[in-house]
Amino acid sequence: MPLQRQVGEATIVALSDGEGPFFESRTKAFPTATPDDWRKADETDPASVTAGGGWLLRFRCFAIRLGNRTVIVDTGIGPADAPAASWAPVPGRLPAALDEAGIHPDEVDTVVLTHLHTDHIGWAVQAGKPFFANARYLMQQTEIKAIEEYASPAGPYALDPLRAAGQLDAVDGEHRLAPGLRVIHTPGHTPGHQSVLVESDSGALLVTGDLLVHAVQLVAPETAYTHEMDSDLARTTRVALLRDLAGREGGATLAVPHLGDPFVDL
Ligand SMILES: [Zn+2]
């Protein structure tokens, strides 16, 4: 049974696409983190440390089921020929994880792609066709622009086939999916990075995307990550949103792609 959480009427299901060591040392990835930050991070998330003191990364997607809606947030590292193959342990196992969760790809109505990085767009397509045949794929307009501007591999691999199939929707800022379920713009990691916020009277849950990628950015939210495209903006976004969520009555939960556990209660 996959790990899941309930927020009001919404069920949020964690889907594992794979795991593997990061390609560079964690001190290089988070150069400003102090020994004290690392000690706190490792206490919070011991499962993300390799035997050799490196960073063990999970690659996770989430499904949100609400009424007759099925929304997928991010699509992992993808099949063997996906662009993440240059650094991540492809093929991912998202199709099996969906099956275990009782979700058929054809019943997914919306796919939210948080950002352009190759470990988030992998199963958007398979063999040049949308993997989720009946879904609208949502990406921020600014992210689509960045993909084109920086000639990201996400363009030819995912955007072009999604566009050709007429399944790509450009979103500008906040976008409501259903009552209590919305996409929010969380820029910094990439220009058009977006997250998904689930809210009910009893609490809130944020599917973060790469708003934070390691527990060190949870225990010390000001910590920059080398692969953020705009570290200052990423920091501002992360600090403000984590503060907002932590202060909410009824509490809040993060659903995270890369930490050891899929859900973190604030
Ligand atoms: Zn990522």
Side-chain angles (χ1 to χ4, degrees):
M1 185 66 187
L3 286 168
Q4 61 183 53
R5 287 293 178 94
Q6 196 73 29
V7 176
E9 302 284 296
T11 306
I12 300 89
V13 185
L15 304 164
S16 169
D17 195 34
E19 65 176 58
F22 196 56
F23 56 80
E24 64 187 20
S25 77
R26 52 190 215 162
T27 45
K28 199 169 171 195
F30 305 94
T32 63
T34 66
D36 196 44
D37 294 337
W38 285 120
R39 187 184 53 75
K40 286 184 192 148
D42 292 348
E43 262 171 36
T44 304
D45 188 16
S48 286
V49 194
T50 66
W55 177 13
L56 180 63
L57 203 64
R58 271 70 180 185
F59 300 100
R60 205 178 276 124
C61 315
F62 290 90
I64 303 169
R65 311 200 87 166
L66 177 60
N68 59 0
R69 304 287 304 271
T70 302
V71 176
I72 297 286
V73 185
D74 279 336
T75 60
I77 54 180
D81 64 345
S86 63
W87 67 280
V90 296
R93 59 177 305 280
L94 181 63
L98 285 165
D99 195 46
E100 287 156 18
I103 298 169
H104 193 282
D106 290 356
E107 67 182 297
V108 173
D109 56 81
T110 306
V111 177
V112 176
L113 298 172
T114 61
H115 66 293
L116 57 87
H117 286 155
T118 56
D119 55 323
H120 295 258
I121 54 140
W123 292 102
V125 296
Q126 188 180 31
K129 292 255 171 354
F131 180 71
F132 299 95
N134 299 313
R136 307 303 308 173
Y137 285 71
L138 308 188
M139 211 178 217
Q140 289 286 322
Q141 181 64 53
T142 41
E143 194 74 351
I144 294 171
K145 207 168 135 241
I147 287 172
E148 283 155 6
E149 207 171 310
Y150 297 102
S152 157
Y157 176 76
L159 285 199
D160 292 352
L162 293 175
R163 232 183 228 133
Q167 288 177 239
L168 180 66
D169 288 342
V171 174
D172 187 13
E174 186 164 313
H175 180 81
R176 187 172 173 273
L177 295 168
L181 180 59
R182 62 195 158 112
V183 169
I184 56 173
H185 185 204
T186 47
H189 184 78
T190 59
H193 189 280
Q194 56 186 0
S195 306
V196 177
L197 186 57
V198 191
E199 293 172 301
S200 81
D201 293 341
S202 59
L205 179 146
L206 182 75
V207 186
T208 60
D210 282 358
L211 179 75
L212 69 158
V213 297
H214 191 285
V216 78
Q217 293 185 302
L218 189 63
V219 300
E222 70 282 4
T223 306
Y225 170 50
T226 310
H227 302 281
E228 287 160 345
M229 289 173 76
D230 183 339
S231 280
D232 289 338
L233 182 56
R235 179 186 300 115
T236 303
T237 302
R238 182 169 51 250
V239 168
L241 196 46
L242 291 180
R243 186 179 296 147
D244 164 19
L245 289 169
R248 288 200 184 205
E249 217 175 301
T253 299
L254 304 178
V256 287
H258 296 309
L259 273 60
D261 291 321
F263 298 106
V264 179
D265 294 316
L266 294 176

